[in-house]
Amino acid sequence: MAADDQDKSQKTEEPTEKKLDEARKKGNLPVSREVANAMSILAALIMLAFYGAEFTSKISNSISPLIMQSHAIDVQSAQGDLRALALQILYGLFAPLAVIAAFFVAAAFLSGWMQNSIMLAADRITPKTERVSPIAGFKRLFSLSSVVEFIKSLVKVLAVGLVVGILIYQQLGGIEQATGYGIDELSRLLSALSVQLLFFVMLVYMVIAILDVLWRRFDWRRQLRMSRQEIKDEHKQMEGDPQIKAKLREIRRSRVKRRMMAEVPKASVVIMNPTHYAIALRYERGQTPAPLCLAKGVDELALKIRSVAKEAGVPVVDNPTLARALYPLVEIDHYIPTEFYKMIAQILTVVMKEDRRAYNKKKKG
């Protein structure tokens, strides 16, 4: 089995919304040509039903001089007359033909809008080597899509041929009598037959178009199926590689830790639960409205905070109850909750008194 076939055999998962959105942006959309064909037939039917009599009248008036007065035209010496007559016929046909063109252009735009709206995608017209590759073309020739297209074409030919055959058979009598009709009568007969024929052909194409739209949407999603590995890679791309995210978290934690250690010497006191929790607080009367958390940590980080504090001469107070209660409620660079003001104030008062005694003792000594 070829590597490409193995890759396709692994694509068993439905495409994600991201994959579908990328396909839409590239212009890869499920478009059915049968909808455009059905809309074109509908446009022709509407045109003939509401504009057919006027249209056929204009055509008959334009070409009637060529038919009714053909014996009076001198082909050898009247080239100017032939040119003038040809221009007259073309001028007479221009308006009805312009109306026909407008109907078909409107039908084409409407069919595109009904399916996926109108959009321009440069990727669809960009030259690609696989589009001209003989091997790729051979594979497409015997693909499931090609088989479906062949069956669909065969059904269209048989269904439309059957409808046309039945209608012509039913109208044989009227067609035989048309040999004695004038141009106006003949044009009205052809208009009526055309409307009837287009109506039933349109019904056949509408059914084919509905089935083709369902098939196109199924085949579109089938071709966009993904393997489990592709889905995993997409999730990694959208959410980030877990290893990279873990590395980034570690870098952020390291930066926060270094910054905290640099702030600990500025603390007024460190509250500890001897080995598990440590919270460094700073309070300066007139500078900070309330005690500010400069650093906090647990286990090894708590011991590191205590070590840095002692080296810097920052008082360390063991108060397990306060440390445990305060740790989850205060964030770094935030003031402590108001319910802890009184307890912290008492600790800071004791610390300041001890600092003054130590300072006085040192001064006396």
Side-chain angles (χ1 to χ4, degrees):
M1 182 181 293
D4 185 56
D5 294 334
Q6 289 180 351
D7 184 61
K8 287 184 177 180
S9 66
Q10 294 174 358
K11 295 184 177 183
T12 57
E13 306 300 319
E14 287 297 311
T16 60
E17 284 301 321
K18 182 175 182 294
K19 182 72 174 288
L20 296 177
D21 289 339
E22 289 177 351
R24 293 187 186 101
K25 290 177 182 178
K26 293 179 180 179
N28 182 6
L29 297 168
V31 178
S32 171
R33 290 192 296 268
E34 303 306 327
V35 174
N37 294 336
M39 293 301 297
S40 298
I41 297 173
L42 178 61
L45 178 61
I46 294 174
M47 180 190 63
L48 284 177
F50 294 97
Y51 188 68
E54 183 180 353
F55 174 69
T56 53
S57 176
K58 288 183 178 181
I59 292 180
S60 62
N61 292 335
S62 299
I63 65 175
S64 58
L66 183 62
I67 298 175
M68 303 300 295
Q69 302 176 13
S70 59
H71 61 280
I73 301 174
D74 190 349
V75 179
Q76 295 180 352
S77 61
Q79 292 183 0
D81 294 339
L82 280 176
R83 186 180 296 107
L85 181 59
L87 290 175
Q88 180 183 353
I89 293 173
L90 291 175
Y91 179 78
L93 292 177
F94 177 78
L97 291 177
V99 173
I100 293 175
F103 266 92
F104 284 111
V105 170
F109 275 96
L110 184 60
S111 66
W113 178 82
M114 288 173 57
Q115 295 184 75
N116 297 292
S117 74
I118 306 298
M119 66 173 298
L120 297 176
D123 188 74
R124 303 300 292 176
I125 58 175
T126 302
K128 295 182 178 180
T129 54
E130 59 266 23
R131 292 177 182 172
V132 296
S133 170
I135 298 177
F138 184 78
K139 290 182 178 179
R140 286 195 298 269
L141 186 63
F142 294 96
S143 64
L144 178 60
S145 299
S146 298
V147 173
V148 172
E149 286 296 320
F150 173 76
I151 296 174
K152 184 179 65 178
S153 301
L154 185 62
V155 170
K156 282 194 298 184
V157 170
L158 294 176
V160 174
L162 181 63
V163 169
V164 172
I166 292 174
L167 289 177
I168 292 177
Y169 179 77
Q170 291 178 347
Q171 300 294 332
L172 279 178
I175 294 173
E176 290 175 356
Q177 295 177 4
T179 54
Y181 289 174
I183 292 179
D184 291 338
E185 292 177 329
L186 183 61
S187 63
R188 283 194 295 271
L189 175 63
L190 290 175
S191 178
L193 288 176
S194 299
V195 169
Q196 189 177 9
L197 178 63
L198 285 174
F199 176 75
F200 286 102
V201 171
M202 183 200 68
L203 293 181
V204 172
Y205 264 85
M206 285 293 184
V207 174
I208 294 174
I210 292 173
L211 295 177
D212 190 55
V213 166
L214 296 176
W215 156 251
R216 291 288 179 182
R217 292 186 178 277
F218 167 78
D219 188 51
W220 179 63
R221 296 182 68 94
R222 181 182 66 85
Q223 293 182 8
L224 292 175
R225 283 177 183 171
M226 306 169 67
S227 64
R228 293 183 179 180
Q229 184 60 43
E230 286 177 331
I231 293 178
K232 290 180 181 178
D233 293 341
E234 183 182 289
H235 287 168
K236 286 183 178 180
Q237 184 180 3
M238 293 177 63
E239 300 176 4
D241 192 324
Q243 295 182 351
I244 296 177
K245 290 175 69 176
K247 185 65 176 178
L248 291 175
R249 285 196 299 268
E250 180 63 29
I251 292 173
R252 285 195 293 269
R253 283 197 296 264
S254 178
R255 288 177 178 175
V256 171
K257 181 179 177 180
R258 286 197 301 269
R259 186 172 66 84
M260 286 196 306
M261 293 301 105
E263 292 294 316
V264 169
K266 302 176 184 178
S268 301
V269 65
V270 172
I271 310 296
M272 290 204 63
N273 172 21
T275 57
H276 296 296
Y277 295 91
I279 303 168
L281 303 176
R282 178 175 180 268
Y283 177 74
E284 293 292 337
R285 184 175 298 176
Q287 295 183 11
T288 54
L292 180 69
C293 178
L294 298 182
K296 69 174 188 175
V298 295
D299 299 332
E300 293 183 4
L301 185 55
L303 297 176
K304 180 66 175 177
I305 291 173
R306 183 173 66 177
S307 175
V308 172
K310 287 185 175 181
E311 289 179 3
V314 176
V316 177
V317 177
D318 289 338
N319 191 325
T321 303
L322 179 59
R324 285 180 175 274
L326 191 59
Y327 184 86
L329 299 178
V330 65
E331 297 296 331
I332 298 171
D333 293 330
H334 286 67
Y335 298 109
I336 66 171
T338 56
E339 60 264 28
F340 295 100
Y341 280 6
K342 186 176 181 180
M343 298 179 66
I344 297 299
Q346 292 174 352
I347 292 174
L348 289 173
T349 300
V350 173
V351 168
M352 290 177 183
K353 287 181 179 180
E354 291 181 354
D355 285 346
R356 281 198 298 269
R357 284 198 298 265
Y359 175 76
N360 292 333
K361 185 177 179 180
K362 182 177 181 181
K363 186 177 180 181
K364 291 178 181 180

